[in-house]
Protein backbone atom coordinates (compact mmCIF):
# COMPACT_ATOMS: atom_id res chain seq x y z
CA UNK A 1 0.00 0.00 0.00
CA UNK A 2 1.11 3.51 -0.68
CA UNK A 3 1.21 6.40 1.72
CA UNK A 4 2.36 10.01 1.47
CA UNK A 5 3.26 12.13 4.46
CA UNK A 6 3.64 15.87 4.39
CA UNK A 7 5.52 16.77 7.50
CA UNK A 8 4.27 20.32 7.91
CA UNK A 9 0.61 21.26 7.90
CA UNK A 10 1.34 24.99 7.78
CA UNK A 11 4.39 26.98 6.75
CA UNK A 12 4.46 30.74 7.27
CA UNK A 13 7.17 32.49 5.27
CA UNK A 14 8.10 36.06 4.47
CA UNK A 15 7.97 37.37 0.93
CA UNK A 16 11.23 36.85 -0.99
CA UNK A 17 12.41 34.24 1.52
CA UNK A 18 13.04 30.62 0.48
CA UNK A 19 10.60 27.86 1.33
CA UNK A 20 10.85 24.08 1.55
CA UNK A 21 7.87 21.77 1.83
CA UNK A 22 8.66 18.27 2.98
CA UNK A 23 7.15 15.11 1.57
CA UNK A 24 7.93 11.48 2.34
CA UNK A 25 6.38 8.53 0.56
CA UNK A 26 6.23 4.81 1.06
CA UNK A 27 5.50 2.24 -1.58
CA UNK A 28 6.36 -1.36 -2.27
CA UNK A 29 6.68 -0.60 -5.97
CA UNK A 30 8.27 2.15 -8.01
CA UNK A 31 6.21 5.30 -8.07
CA UNK A 32 5.71 8.51 -9.90
CA UNK A 33 5.68 11.58 -7.66
CA UNK A 34 3.83 14.84 -8.06
CA UNK A 35 3.38 18.22 -6.42
CA UNK A 36 0.09 20.03 -6.90
CA UNK A 37 -0.99 23.51 -5.79
CA UNK A 38 -4.51 24.51 -4.85
CA UNK A 39 -5.51 28.16 -4.67
CA UNK A 40 -8.64 29.10 -2.71
CA UNK A 41 -11.85 27.84 -4.29
CA UNK A 42 -10.01 26.19 -7.14
CA UNK A 43 -9.00 22.71 -8.23
CA UNK A 44 -5.50 21.29 -8.25
CA UNK A 45 -2.80 22.48 -10.62
CA UNK A 46 0.27 20.40 -11.34
CA UNK A 47 3.52 22.09 -10.31
CA UNK A 48 5.93 19.34 -11.27
CA UNK A 49 6.36 15.61 -11.53
CA UNK A 50 9.07 13.00 -11.17
CA UNK A 51 8.84 10.02 -13.46
CA UNK A 52 12.44 8.87 -13.86
CA UNK A 53 15.86 10.21 -14.74
CA UNK A 54 17.31 13.31 -13.13
CA UNK A 55 16.43 13.52 -9.47
CA UNK A 56 16.12 17.32 -9.60
CA UNK A 57 12.87 18.30 -11.21
CA UNK A 58 11.97 21.83 -12.22
CA UNK A 59 8.38 22.94 -12.40
CA UNK A 60 6.28 25.98 -13.02
CA UNK A 61 6.41 29.27 -11.10
CA UNK A 62 10.04 28.75 -10.04
CA UNK A 63 9.43 25.60 -7.99
CA UNK A 64 11.72 22.60 -7.99
CA UNK A 65 11.80 19.29 -6.16
CA UNK A 66 14.40 16.67 -5.47
CA UNK A 67 13.69 12.96 -5.51
CA UNK A 68 15.71 11.04 -2.93
CA UNK A 69 15.15 7.31 -3.19
CA UNK A 70 17.22 6.36 -0.17
CA UNK A 71 15.29 8.74 2.06
CA UNK A 72 12.01 8.16 0.20
CA UNK A 73 11.53 11.90 0.01
CA UNK A 74 10.38 14.40 -2.59
CA UNK A 75 10.77 17.83 -1.03
CA UNK A 76 9.56 20.95 -2.84
CA UNK A 77 11.56 24.18 -2.80
CA UNK A 78 11.37 27.72 -4.05
CA UNK A 79 14.29 30.12 -3.54
CA UNK A 80 12.16 33.26 -3.27
CA UNK A 81 8.42 33.27 -2.67
CA UNK A 82 5.82 35.82 -3.67
CA UNK A 83 2.55 36.77 -2.04
CA UNK A 84 0.82 34.93 -4.89
CA UNK A 85 2.37 31.65 -3.72
CA UNK A 86 -0.01 31.63 -0.78
CA UNK A 87 -1.91 28.39 -1.34
CA UNK A 88 -2.14 24.77 -0.26
CA UNK A 89 0.37 22.33 -1.68
CA UNK A 90 -0.15 18.61 -2.07
CA UNK A 91 2.38 15.87 -2.64
CA UNK A 92 1.06 12.75 -4.36
CA UNK A 93 2.29 9.37 -5.53
CA UNK A 94 1.11 7.08 -8.29
CA UNK A 95 2.33 3.50 -8.67
CA UNK A 96 4.25 2.93 -11.87
CA UNK A 97 1.58 0.74 -13.35
CA UNK A 98 -1.52 1.39 -15.37
CA UNK A 99 -4.88 1.94 -13.79
CA UNK A 100 -3.74 2.90 -10.32
CA UNK A 101 -4.83 5.80 -8.19
CA UNK A 102 -3.12 8.91 -6.89
CA UNK A 103 -2.46 8.91 -3.17
CA UNK A 104 -2.22 12.38 -1.66
CA UNK A 105 -0.48 13.72 1.39
CA UNK A 106 -2.40 15.80 3.89
CA UNK A 107 -1.37 19.09 2.34
CA UNK A 108 0.80 21.99 3.48
CA UNK A 109 -0.73 25.42 3.73
CA UNK A 110 1.79 28.12 2.79
CA UNK A 111 1.12 31.64 4.00
CA UNK A 112 3.41 34.26 2.49
CA UNK A 113 3.66 37.38 4.62
CA UNK A 114 4.72 40.80 3.28
CA UNK B 1 -8.28 22.90 -25.37
CA UNK B 2 -10.82 23.62 -22.72
CA UNK B 3 -10.00 22.27 -19.28
CA UNK B 4 -11.97 19.89 -17.12
CA UNK B 5 -15.36 21.33 -16.30
CA UNK B 6 -17.60 20.41 -13.41
CA UNK B 7 -21.22 21.32 -12.81
CA UNK B 8 -22.66 22.61 -10.67
CA UNK B 9 -19.95 24.50 -8.81
CA UNK B 10 -21.98 24.77 -5.62
CA UNK B 11 -24.79 22.67 -4.26
CA UNK B 12 -26.79 22.64 -1.05
CA UNK B 13 -28.79 19.56 -0.11
CA UNK B 14 -30.43 18.18 3.01
CA UNK B 15 -29.79 14.88 4.72
CA UNK B 16 -31.42 11.93 3.05
CA UNK B 17 -31.53 13.49 -0.40
CA UNK B 18 -29.48 12.33 -3.33
CA UNK B 19 -27.24 14.34 -5.60
CA UNK B 20 -25.66 13.98 -9.04
CA UNK B 21 -22.49 15.79 -10.02
CA UNK B 22 -21.22 16.08 -13.56
CA UNK B 23 -17.74 16.19 -15.06
CA UNK B 24 -16.65 16.84 -18.63
CA UNK B 25 -13.04 15.83 -19.27
CA UNK B 26 -10.56 17.50 -21.55
CA UNK B 27 -11.31 16.67 -25.17
CA UNK B 28 -9.60 13.40 -26.08
CA UNK B 29 -9.20 12.25 -22.49
CA UNK B 30 -10.87 8.92 -21.87
CA UNK B 31 -10.21 8.44 -18.17
CA UNK B 32 -12.08 10.29 -15.44
CA UNK B 33 -11.35 10.03 -11.72
CA UNK B 34 -13.28 11.43 -8.79
CA UNK B 35 -11.88 12.61 -5.46
CA UNK B 36 -13.44 13.84 -2.25
CA UNK B 37 -11.70 16.63 -0.34
CA UNK B 38 -12.59 17.38 3.27
CA UNK B 39 -10.68 19.24 6.01
CA UNK B 40 -10.58 16.12 8.17
CA UNK B 41 -9.77 13.39 5.65
CA UNK B 42 -7.96 15.35 2.99
CA UNK B 43 -8.05 14.20 -0.61
CA UNK B 44 -9.43 10.72 -1.05
CA UNK B 45 -9.89 8.74 -4.23
CA UNK B 46 -13.44 7.67 -5.02
CA UNK B 47 -13.26 5.87 -8.36
CA UNK B 48 -11.91 5.98 -11.88
CA UNK B 49 -13.73 5.30 -15.13
CA UNK B 50 -12.29 4.45 -18.50
CA UNK B 51 -14.24 3.44 -21.58
CA UNK B 52 -17.47 3.52 -19.58
CA UNK B 53 -16.15 0.95 -17.08
CA UNK B 54 -15.12 1.47 -13.51
CA UNK B 55 -11.45 0.55 -13.35
CA UNK B 56 -10.55 1.38 -9.79
CA UNK B 57 -12.43 2.11 -6.61
CA UNK B 58 -11.57 3.72 -3.28
CA UNK B 59 -12.91 2.87 0.16
CA UNK B 60 -16.29 4.56 0.10
CA UNK B 61 -19.71 3.09 0.87
CA UNK B 62 -22.04 1.96 -1.86
CA UNK B 63 -24.00 5.21 -1.57
CA UNK B 64 -21.30 6.67 -3.78
CA UNK B 65 -21.57 5.58 -7.37
CA UNK B 66 -20.62 6.82 -10.77
CA UNK B 67 -20.85 6.22 -14.43
CA UNK B 68 -19.22 7.28 -17.64
CA UNK B 69 -20.84 7.92 -20.96
CA UNK B 70 -19.60 7.12 -24.45
CA UNK B 71 -18.37 10.72 -24.87
CA UNK B 72 -16.23 10.23 -21.70
CA UNK B 73 -18.33 12.59 -19.61
CA UNK B 74 -18.87 11.25 -16.15
CA UNK B 75 -21.42 11.63 -13.40
CA UNK B 76 -21.12 10.86 -9.75
CA UNK B 77 -24.12 10.12 -7.57
CA UNK B 78 -24.44 10.13 -3.82
CA UNK B 79 -27.62 8.72 -2.35
CA UNK B 80 -29.06 9.16 1.14
CA UNK B 81 -26.82 12.12 1.89
CA UNK B 82 -25.21 12.44 5.30
CA UNK B 83 -23.75 15.54 6.96
CA UNK B 84 -20.30 14.03 6.53
CA UNK B 85 -20.69 14.03 2.77
CA UNK B 86 -20.18 17.79 2.76
CA UNK B 87 -17.00 18.23 0.77
CA UNK B 88 -15.35 19.52 -2.36
CA UNK B 89 -15.68 16.87 -5.05
CA UNK B 90 -12.93 17.02 -7.63
CA UNK B 91 -12.89 15.41 -11.01
CA UNK B 92 -9.69 14.71 -12.92
CA UNK B 93 -9.10 13.46 -16.42
CA UNK B 94 -6.18 11.89 -18.24
CA UNK B 95 -5.70 10.58 -21.74
CA UNK B 96 -5.77 6.97 -20.69
CA UNK B 97 -4.86 4.55 -17.95
CA UNK B 98 -1.21 4.51 -19.02
CA UNK B 99 -0.88 8.27 -18.75
CA UNK B 100 0.36 9.52 -15.42
CA UNK B 101 -0.66 13.19 -15.46
CA UNK B 102 -4.15 14.02 -14.33
CA UNK B 103 -5.81 17.37 -14.95
CA UNK B 104 -8.22 18.58 -12.32
CA UNK B 105 -11.42 20.52 -12.59
CA UNK B 106 -12.42 23.34 -10.21
CA UNK B 107 -14.61 21.04 -8.12
CA UNK B 108 -18.18 21.00 -6.89
CA UNK B 109 -18.69 22.24 -3.36
CA UNK B 110 -21.46 20.14 -1.77
CA UNK B 111 -23.00 21.25 1.50
CA UNK B 112 -25.35 18.87 3.29
CA UNK B 113 -27.63 20.47 5.89
Amino acid sequence: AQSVTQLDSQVPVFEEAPVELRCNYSSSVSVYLFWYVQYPNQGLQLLLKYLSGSTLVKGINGFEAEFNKSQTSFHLRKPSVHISDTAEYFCASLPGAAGNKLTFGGGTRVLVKP
Amino acid sequence: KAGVTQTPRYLIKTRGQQVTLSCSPISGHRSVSWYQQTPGQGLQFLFEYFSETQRNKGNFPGRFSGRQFSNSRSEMNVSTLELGDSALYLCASREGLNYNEQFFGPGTRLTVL
Side-chain angles (χ1 to χ4, degrees), chain A residues 14-74:
Chain A
F14 286 105
E15 195 174 16
E16 297 183 9
V19 70
E20 178 179 81
L21 308 184
R22 298 179 292 168
C23 171
N24 285 93
Y25 69 94
S26 68
S27 176
S28 57
V29 298
S30 62
V31 294
Y32 303 133
L33 295 165
F34 305 82
W35 274 100
Y36 287 88
V37 61
Q38 186 177 35
Y39 300 104
N41 299 316
Q42 294 188 28
L44 302 176
Q45 179 183 8
L46 183 68
L47 280 176
L48 48 80
K49 59 185 177 183
Y50 173 77
L51 305 179
S52 64
S54 173
T55 57
L56 183 63
V57 181
K58 293 192 182 297
I60 62 171
N61 301 342
F63 284 93
E64 63 181 33
E66 185 153 20
F67 171 65
N68 188 318
K69 188 175 181 178
S70 62
Q71 297 187 7
T72 60
S73 68
F74 190 54

Side-chain angles (χ1 to χ4, degrees), chain B residues 78-111:
Chain B
V78 188
S79 63
T80 319
L81 283 166
E82 300 176 0
L83 295 179
D85 297 332
S86 294
L88 181 68
Y89 290 89
L90 293 166
C91 166
S93 76
R94 54 179 170 166
E95 293 186 48
L97 297 178
N98 289 321
Y99 290 81
N100 52 68
E101 183 170 350
Q102 295 191 15
F103 296 82
F104 284 80
T108 294
R109 171 78 60 187
L110 172 65
T111 301

